[in-house]
């Protein structure tokens, strides 16, 4: 089953074509590396997928349901980590996850256990009662992943989650993505190729708004070797 299907997607901003005839499929259980230089159209594609931007043509389906601009019904399937996540910094991680879980419709009866599971997963259990205002950039990225997973989404979309982190912080995020592969499908946007090689099993290379290359990582490596 394909969790995410993008078919002939097009988007213009003024006179510039940002996304052109983009088609890709992300199968269930994959960690899909969405690669491209800055300005290639990755973030625009993800915002359309989340219903935050209107497409000029084409179609996106998540778990078989069509995405519509301003209609967020498909977002019940989706967790989202932006490149610079924002928080209510006066809250603690546990309070913040309780807030996000409540907004996502997670019942109070399971929310505390879920929050504890996620804080353990992202390595923040020891900091669960600290104010977020004192967190490092890497800690905030890890908390952002926990927030995105609180409602057990079918698809986790990560927009450049490692781009501003040091090598140790990048390794932390990669290890978390590996750990959640059995729980959710991941669309991992980045321009850092070593991170893709460490964690992704499929990739799509976006160039100038078009999908220039796609396939399984081992197939792409074999093509490059030739």
């Amino acid at each position: 089953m394909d969790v995410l299907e993008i078919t002939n997607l097009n988007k213009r901003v003024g006179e510039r074509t940002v996304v052109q005839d983009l088609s890709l499929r992300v199968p269930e259980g994959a960690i899909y590396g969405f690669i491209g230089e800055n300005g290639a159209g990755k973030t625009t594609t993800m915002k359309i997928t989340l219903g935050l931007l209107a497409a000029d043509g084409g179609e996106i389906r998540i778990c078989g349901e069509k995405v519509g601009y301003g209609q967020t019904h498909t977002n019940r399937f989706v967790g989202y980590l932006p490149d610079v996540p924002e928080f209510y910094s006066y809250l603690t991680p546990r309070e913040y996850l309780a807030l996000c879980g409540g907004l996502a419709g997670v019942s109070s009866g399971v929310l505390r256990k879920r929050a504890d599971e996620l804080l353990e997963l992202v390595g923040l259990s020891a900091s669960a009662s600290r104010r977020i205002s004192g967190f490092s950039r890497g800690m905030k990225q890890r908390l952002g992943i926990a927030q995105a997973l609180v409602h057990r989404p079918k698809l986790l979309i990560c927009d450049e989650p490692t781009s501003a982190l040091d090598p140790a912080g990048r390794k932390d995020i990669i290890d978390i993505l590996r750990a959640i592969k059995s729980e959710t499908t991941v669309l991992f946007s980045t321009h850092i190729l070593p991170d893709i090689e460490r964690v992704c099993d499929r990739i799509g290379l976006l160039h100038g708004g078009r999908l220039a290359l796609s396939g399984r990582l081992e197939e792409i490596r074999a093509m490059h070797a030739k």
Side-chain angles (χ1 to χ4, degrees), residues 82-85 135-142 160-161 163-165:
D83 55 344
V84 183
F135 279 19
S136 67
R137 176 68 186 268
M139 294 171 74
K140 288 180 178 179
Q141 289 294 89
R142 286 184 276 141
E160 302 277 2
S163 61
L165 302 180

Side-chain angles (χ1 to χ4, degrees), residues 138-196:
M139 294 171 74
K140 288 180 178 179
Q141 289 294 89
R142 286 184 276 141
L143 179 57
I145 292 178
Q147 170 273 134
L149 293 172
V150 72
H151 61 299
R152 298 187 185 276
K154 298 289 187 182
L155 174 66
L156 173 64
I157 297 176
C158 299
D159 188 3
E160 302 277 2
T162 61
S163 61
L165 302 180
D166 61 21
R170 285 168 52 201
K171 181 181 183 300
D172 288 342
I173 299 301
I174 295 299
D175 288 345
I176 292 168
L177 294 181
R178 281 200 189 103
I180 64 174
K181 183 176 181 180
S182 61
E183 180 177 328
T184 187
T185 302
V186 179
L187 180 68
F188 177 31
S189 165
T190 188
H191 60 270
I192 303 174
L193 296 183
D195 289 350
I196 290 291

